[in-house]
Amino acid sequence: MTKYGSFPGTRPRRLRTTPAMRRMVAETRLHPADFILPAFVREGVSEPVPIEAMPGVVQHTRDSLKKAALEAVEAGVSGIMLFGVPEESKKDGAGTAGTDPDGILQVALRDVRAEVGDDLLVMSDLCLDEFTDHGHCGVLDADGRVDNDATLERYAEMAQVQADAGAHIVGPSGMMDGQIGVIRDALDQIGREDVSILAYTAKYSSAFYGPFREAVGSALRGDRKTYQQDPANVRESLRELALDLEEGADMVMVKPAGPYLDILARVAEASDVPVVAYQISGEYSMVEAAAERGWIDRDQAILETLTGIKRAGADNILTYWAVEAAQKLR
């Protein structure tokens, strides 16, 4: 046989010969502790409500949410991120249900924290979009634009009530300028230096959020392009990262995950705190829809997408498959 360079002496395929060999030399490994489960809890329902655009995902009742949290503990998942879905009549322009100590999100935080204690990190979405009648992530000015600084005042109050309700970690997702510093100050003012902030550092204005808006009953008209990031930009994410770290972020996030693996890799390279990626609703629903039609192998696709996110640099992944994937790995 003619020798071409180091071939035939060098054969990389030797390290792919058997499952045991591939497992031994794997450069990226998934673990149940990598995962965080996003979960929706809806006010005023007696049974879990299936989300049509997200097969297998539901809007929980308070009781079913507690069961889901216990299941996550048993699977070895690290955390659960809660999103509250209030009754329509409780939505208003300021999103006051989001700061009501008896609002659905705060009640759910207390429920889950009482159920799991410190065995699972109880995390809360810190944003107004689920609670406003216009669906935006902040309060609006007289011209109908999101008022950044007025919204920060609402976020500060929201952080305090979520901490009081039992959140270990708050996740400000609204992409307001200065939100991390304002929230850190608000938490410290009430003696909650122990509550961590997961900054939604690079959150892009994405078409892949579509199913999520059904999940939270969003009233949004229009878009969020004036505050979420432009999909065309990279440097912008690194600037946001520098600002969030300066303001005191304990962890940072890239969202969505799959379409933005290049951003995730850049953020992971530059960050000196843990990096989280959110595999969002549209990513989930595409796999589920294709698998339901027999076009792809569902189980392989789930683990492949999660491995790709981990390989790109994520320390942790929010995914609707968190419990299922953890159980498969165990």
Side-chain angles (χ1 to χ4, degrees):
M1 180 179 290
T2 304
K3 186 173 182 179
Y4 296 98
S6 58
F7 178 82
T10 299
R11 294 178 181 269
R13 286 182 57 190
R14 293 189 188 110
L15 300 182
R16 306 169 195 157
T17 52
T18 68
M21 177 66 82
R22 293 190 293 273
R23 187 168 60 248
M24 184 180 78
V25 301
E27 299 172 32
T28 304
R29 300 182 191 278
L30 294 171
H31 187 277
D34 295 337
F35 304 135
I36 298 163
L37 175 67
F40 309 101
V41 57
R42 179 170 170 178
E43 187 172 26
V45 295
S46 57
E47 295 182 357
V49 178
I51 299 168
E52 184 177 355
M54 299 178 68
V57 181
V58 301
Q59 295 171 327
H60 285 285
T61 67
R62 289 174 60 185
D63 285 340
S64 70
L65 178 64
K66 290 187 287 186
K67 293 176 183 176
L70 285 173
E71 186 179 38
V73 172
E74 292 167 359
V77 168
S78 285
I80 185 168
M81 173 70 81
L82 302 187
F83 296 85
V85 184
E87 294 178 340
E88 286 295 321
S89 62
K90 296 185 179 178
K91 295 182 180 182
D92 59 25
T96 52
T99 50
D100 180 355
D102 295 319
I104 183 58
L105 182 53
Q106 283 67 252
V107 169
L109 285 167
R110 288 194 292 270
D111 285 345
V112 173
R113 187 65 189 273
E115 195 74 18
V116 300
D118 294 331
D119 292 338
L120 185 70
L121 289 170
V122 180
M123 310 163 81
S124 55
D125 179 57
L126 199 165
C127 195
L128 292 173
D129 59 325
E130 297 101 308
F131 305 101
T132 56
D133 56 11
H134 47 72
H136 279 287
C137 297
V139 295
L140 305 182
D141 63 17
D143 296 319
R145 298 171 300 192
V146 175
D147 187 325
N148 190 95
D149 295 5
T151 298
L152 293 182
E153 295 179 15
R154 299 288 297 123
Y155 285 3
E157 183 181 356
M158 202 170 193
Q160 291 176 340
V161 297
Q162 290 181 354
D164 285 343
H168 292 102
I169 300 171
V170 296
S173 60
M175 291 298 288
M176 296 298 120
D177 293 340
Q179 63 184 12
I180 303 304
V182 166
I183 290 167
R184 183 72 271 160
D185 286 345
L187 292 169
D188 292 352
Q189 286 171 16
I190 62 169
R192 297 310 306 271
E193 296 88 353
D194 59 320
V195 174
S196 299
I197 300 175
L198 168 56
Y200 283 58
T201 292
K203 182 179 180 182
Y204 283 87
S205 179
S206 173
F208 292 95
Y209 296 132
F212 178 89
R213 291 177 183 160
E214 178 193 339
V216 297
S218 174
L220 181 67
R221 299 291 184 271
D223 57 52
R224 300 188 173 110
K225 293 182 179 180
T226 62
Y227 46 102
Q228 293 178 353
Q229 288 180 226
D230 186 335
N233 294 348
V234 177
R235 287 193 300 269
E236 186 176 31
S237 290
L238 300 180
R239 186 183 187 199
E240 293 278 6
L241 172 65
L243 291 168
D244 283 352
L245 293 176
E246 181 182 356
E247 292 175 27
D250 298 290
M251 295 167 276
V252 295
M253 183 193 290
V254 174
K255 179 181 182 181
Y260 295 90
L261 294 180
D262 60 325
I263 307 300
L264 176 57
R266 294 284 295 272
V267 169
E269 183 179 3
S271 177
D272 60 358
V273 301
V275 175
V276 180
Y278 196 147
Q279 186 182 53
I280 66 169
S281 59
E283 298 176 71
Y284 171 92
S285 295
M286 286 194 302
V287 171
E288 291 288 347
E292 190 271 332
R293 288 162 176 76
W295 293 342
I296 60 173
D297 183 298
R298 179 180 179 275
D299 290 354
Q300 288 189 31
I302 290 170
L303 292 179
E304 184 176 340
T305 59
L306 293 171
T307 299
I309 296 165
K310 182 81 179 288
R311 188 185 63 241
D315 297 295
N316 296 100
I317 304 168
L318 280 95
T319 174
Y320 299 97
W321 290 305
V323 171
E324 180 181 351
Q327 289 170 340
K328 291 181 189 300
L329 293 171
R330 296 185 76 174

